[in-house]
Amino acid sequence: MSEVQTGHEKPPVYDTKDVNESPHSDVESAEGQINPLKRNLQNRHMQMIAIGGAIGAGFFVSTGGALRTGGPGALLLCYCIVGIMLLQTMWALGELAVMYPVNGAYFDYSLRFIDPSWGFAMGWDYAINWLVILPFELTAAGITIRFWRDDLNVGIWIAVFLVVLSAIQIFGVRGYGEVEFVLSIIKITAVIGFIILGIVIDCGGAPVGGYIGGHYWFDPGAFTDFVGFCSVFTTAAFAFGGTEMSGLAAAETANPAKSIPKACKQVFWRITLFYVVGTLIVGLIVPHNADYLMKASGANTSYSPFVVSIQNAGISGLPSVMNAVITISVISVANSATFGSTRTIQAMAEKGMAPKFFGYVDKHGRPIWCVVLQIAFGFLAFINEASDTGGQIFTWLLALSGISNFFVWGSVCLAHIRFRAAWKHNGRSIDELAYVAPWGVYGSYLGLGLNILCLIAEFYVSVQPLDVQNFFENYLAAPLVIALYVGWKIYQSITKNPEVEKRGWKLWRSVEEIDVFTGIRDTALDVGIEPRVKYETWGAWAKALPKRLLRSIV
């Protein structure tokens, strides 16, 4: 059967008023008007944010700790599992973000398609995640300088990087986009260069050492134990964290219907080339029982497998280059942290779920008070240097973000599932969508299932052995999410919110309650969208499958 080109079929003209005015909205906007964030992110910004925006210390340094804990086989397998999970999440997020390019995407979709209280929990969980990651990344950036100057206090560099980060915020979202564009190019180039160099080292082409091949997969082995295998999931989630940022940027993208699908497709190459191939190369040239891997955590780049493997190969100069790349990567993630928290808190303030003044956005499109809050959290980086107990305080702060990514990613998949059900309930077809997730709702079920599996695996690790402090250091985000969810339910009941009294404590909205029309995308922005392809039979679909798979990643 032949393929039928559907072309640029515009969906019906729906009510495009702000989603806050939805008849099913549980709260009112803080300002009562469409948010004034500027659409200053171009397609090139979105591509770089998707490909390399969140590659940082989690990938370059923490990978070493995960290698020692689980072995090269566990490292590769866990990164593949989390990669597949995140790919499905990004496809689902892309479909939602194109249809509803709203600020505070993850929070808003949970609020709208799942449950208001769950939306509140996801919004604050995501915001807290980035609020506490910023001081960690600033500390990490300072520690990387010790590779060259260990005689200087880290606090000096924390202050320098905090000033630089604050200066970037002056230029608003355009500043964020330009910085990420440049830094991502540097990171991508460095990772590709390391992969090529790693192959040379493994094949015996380095000045020191001979042919390695797959020797380290047999001696000391590919895996350690089951607990070690499960523990790698959290490291992988931390390394992948921030990939979803392109969905958050939808409200500030010039042409979301064109740039967001392309950004989502680029995630495939990021996962495959950087994380899968990168971790495979590390596992080939670094034995998991190497002593220095015991110190490969946080941002101690002196023991990063990416740096030490080059040093052990007898190559001079390049270790410093790689350390410089790690420094740049950490600054990039700190920049993303500021963007992620400020946009989420500003969106929540508009819905009445955060203090009203956080909803203020100046004429240049900058959520000023949200930025001030994030920078204030940056000063917590000095705690780690100021006292003997600073390290323990820092550990507990980071525990708040430990597994939060799994909750956020799983909620995106669930929101997509609920959206599709409501869309169908209203008699609408997926042919009306400008972008459709390649694996459809089945991919979201897969993504949701893998997120739940990772949460179970991390719970198992947290109780092995059973120690209260160890459990909460690994799993503190879970009781935080539950407390936020239940707390907002109780608050809404106390304040006698009419909808809460009508709906009760149901786990999620029914399809009849979900409004799929308000806040829909402005079709005037749909410029240069590629025509959709429709297949008349399963045979035609199967025949075109190779082409469809290629188009989904290119």
Side-chain angles (χ1 to χ4, degrees), residues 512-530:
E512 292 82 8
E513 293 179 282
I514 297 176
D515 172 29
V516 295
F517 299 124
T518 54
I520 211 166
R521 80 185 196 281
D522 181 0
T523 54
L525 298 176
D526 296 353
V527 179
I529 302 178
E530 296 180 4

Side-chain angles (χ1 to χ4, degrees), residues 134-209:
L134 177 62
F136 167 77
E137 295 294 341
L138 289 172
T139 304
I143 293 175
T144 60
I145 306 299
R146 283 183 174 173
F147 184 83
W148 300 291
R149 293 292 303 271
D150 58 1
D151 59 321
L152 296 178
N153 189 285
V154 174
I156 298 174
W157 301 109
I158 291 175
V160 170
F161 293 132
L162 188 58
V163 169
V164 171
L165 191 65
S166 301
I168 294 173
Q169 307 314 309
I170 296 174
F171 301 97
V173 69
R174 187 59 180 265
Y176 162 73
E178 294 296 348
V179 169
E180 286 306 299
F181 179 77
V182 174
L183 298 187
S184 292
I185 290 177
I186 296 173
K187 289 188 287 185
I188 292 168
T189 303
V191 174
I192 293 175
F194 175 81
I195 290 173
I196 296 173
L197 178 61
I199 294 174
V200 173
I201 294 173
D202 188 59
C203 294
V208 177

Side-chain angles (χ1 to χ4, degrees), residues 45-284:
H45 299 134
M46 295 298 292
Q47 304 315 306
M48 288 298 104
I49 291 172
I51 297 176
I55 298 176
F59 176 64
F60 285 118
V61 183
S62 297
T63 296
L67 176 62
R68 180 174 180 82
T69 303
L75 185 68
L76 181 62
L77 187 57
C78 288
Y79 271 66
C80 286
I81 293 173
V82 175
I84 293 172
M85 173 183 72
L86 188 56
L87 187 61
Q88 302 307 319
T89 301
M90 286 302 300
W91 283 342
L93 180 60
E95 183 175 312
L96 291 173
V98 168
M99 198 64 176
Y100 308 97
V102 295
N103 187 29
Y106 323 114
F107 143 76
D108 196 273
Y109 300 147
S110 293
L111 172 73
R112 182 170 186 163
F113 300 116
I114 303 177
D115 178 77
S117 296
W118 189 252
F120 175 83
M122 286 301 97
W124 275 111
D125 179 54
Y126 191 74
I128 291 171
N129 175 46
W130 286 115
L131 284 172
V132 300
I133 281 180
L134 177 62
F136 167 77
E137 295 294 341
L138 289 172
T139 304
I143 293 175
T144 60
I145 306 299
R146 283 183 174 173
F147 184 83
W148 300 291
R149 293 292 303 271
D150 58 1
D151 59 321
L152 296 178
N153 189 285
V154 174
I156 298 174
W157 301 109
I158 291 175
V160 170
F161 293 132
L162 188 58
V163 169
V164 171
L165 191 65
S166 301
I168 294 173
Q169 307 314 309
I170 296 174
F171 301 97
V173 69
R174 187 59 180 265
Y176 162 73
E178 294 296 348
V179 169
E180 286 306 299
F181 179 77
V182 174
L183 298 187
S184 292
I185 290 177
I186 296 173
K187 289 188 287 185
I188 292 168
T189 303
V191 174
I192 293 175
F194 175 81
I195 290 173
I196 296 173
L197 178 61
I199 294 174
V200 173
I201 294 173
D202 188 59
C203 294
V208 177
Y211 175 78
I212 302 174
H215 174 74
Y216 294 146
W217 279 63
F218 299 97
D219 181 21
F223 298 90
T224 54
D225 53 35
F226 185 66
V227 175
F229 173 83
C230 292
S231 67
V232 178
F233 282 116
T234 301
T235 303
F238 185 71
F240 277 105
T243 303
E244 73 287 340
M245 202 65 72
S246 55
L248 190 66
E252 297 172 83
T253 304
N255 188 353
K258 181 179 180 180
S259 58
I260 291 178
K262 286 187 176 181
C264 291
K265 293 175 182 180
Q266 296 298 333
V267 172
F268 172 85
W269 295 111
R270 174 180 173 180
I271 291 171
T272 302
L273 181 61
F274 302 148
Y275 291 103
V276 176
V277 178
T279 53
L280 172 63
I281 295 299
V282 169
L284 286 173

Side-chain angles (χ1 to χ4, degrees), residues 124-139 238 334 337-338 341 345 373-374 376-381 393-402 404 476-477 480:
W124 275 111
D125 179 54
Y126 191 74
I128 291 171
N129 175 46
W130 286 115
L131 284 172
V132 300
I133 281 180
L134 177 62
F136 167 77
E137 295 294 341
L138 289 172
T139 304
F238 185 71
T338 304
S341 65
I345 295 174
L373 175 65
Q374 178 67 87
F377 263 79
F379 282 94
L380 291 175
I393 296 173
F394 218 54
T395 298
W396 284 106
L397 284 173
L398 286 175
L400 294 172
S401 65
S404 64
L476 185 59
L480 173 65

